[in-house]
Each structure stands twice: as C-alpha cells, then as structure tokens.
Amino acid sequence: MKYILIIILSIFFYEFFNHFNFKELLKEYFSTLKKLKNNFRKNKFSDLKSEQFYTEISKKLFIISSKILLLFLPLILFFILFDLYNKDLLKFFLSIKGISTSLFTILLYFYLIKKK
C-alpha cells in the first residue's frame, strides 16, 4: 500500500509542479538573486538609485518567495492528509526505498509522457 501511495504522490507532485511552472519560477528567483549579487559587487549606482534598485529587487524577491511558499503549501497539506491515512508514509517516503521509488516513478512517468 505504501508503494502505491508513493507512486500516486510522486505523479501528483510532478504534474502539480509542471502545471504551475515551478521551474520558471525558480529561474526567475535565481536570476533576481544574481542581479542583486552583481549589484553588490559593482555598486555603480548612486545612493538614491541604489536604494530604489534594492527596494524593487526586494519586492520582487518577496513576491517570488511568496509564490513558491503558496505552491508548496497545498502539497504539504496533501501529503499530511495521506500521512494521516497511512501513519508510516512519511518515514517510508524519507527512507532510501521511498526516495528511490519516487525518483524511479518520476523518471518513468517523464519518459512515458515525453514518448507520446
């Protein structure tokens, strides 16, 4: 029963992340951090422009971080509901067997979807 739940959760998480473009969200987050890091290194702006730049970047990072948090919140709740159904699901999911099962499931599912 644990394997079936892990397979279902893995496919659900994969589709959920694809539906909400999680990969693009992470790219945007890391590119914003890169802009911030580059500006710290160069510091080519005046104080006023630098303050505006940091304010805009901070707002952007906050919005992106909020989106990521809101994306993970339903997944965590969904996982907790499944864990209430099967008490040892979290232990199994974090074990080597659970991680390898979920990775194998995701890779197989990705291969089958891409093959279509």
Side-chain angles (χ1 to χ4, degrees):
M1 186 65 167
K2 292 178 190 175
Y3 285 103
I4 294 172
L5 288 176
I6 292 292
I7 290 170
I8 290 170
L9 282 173
S10 298
I11 292 172
F12 176 76
F13 287 173
Y14 178 80
E15 287 297 327
F16 191 81
F17 284 134
N18 278 342
H19 181 71
F20 288 105
N21 294 327
F22 184 70
K23 189 176 178 181
E24 296 300 320
L25 197 60
L26 284 178
K27 282 182 184 178
E28 184 179 359
Y29 182 77
F30 286 122
S31 70
T32 307
L33 282 177
K34 188 175 181 180
K35 286 179 192 176
L36 185 64
K37 184 179 80 170
N38 288 339
N39 189 34
F40 273 135
R41 283 188 183 162
K42 294 177 184 174
N43 202 6
K44 59 184 176 183
F45 297 130
S46 66
D47 286 342
L48 182 61
K49 283 187 177 183
S50 181
E51 184 178 325
Q52 290 172 347
F53 175 77
Y54 291 137
T55 305
E56 288 178 25
I57 291 293
S58 298
K59 286 178 185 177
K60 191 173 183 180
L61 283 173
F62 179 74
I63 290 171
I64 295 170
S65 298
S66 299
K67 286 179 183 178
I68 291 173
L69 180 67
L70 288 175
L71 186 65
F72 274 105
L73 193 63
L75 293 177
I76 292 170
L77 291 175
F78 191 70
F79 193 81
I80 289 172
L81 286 174
F82 267 88
D83 192 46
L84 290 175
Y85 176 71
N86 190 344
K87 295 292 181 193
D88 294 332
L89 184 65
L90 183 60
K91 284 182 186 177
F92 182 70
F93 189 74
L94 295 176
S95 70
I96 299 295
K97 286 182 182 179
I99 292 171
S100 61
T101 302
S102 62
L103 285 176
F104 179 73
T105 303
I106 290 171
L107 291 174
L108 182 67
Y109 185 73
F110 178 73
Y111 176 74
L112 292 174
I113 292 297
K114 199 165 193 156
K115 196 172 182 179
K116 285 185 180 181

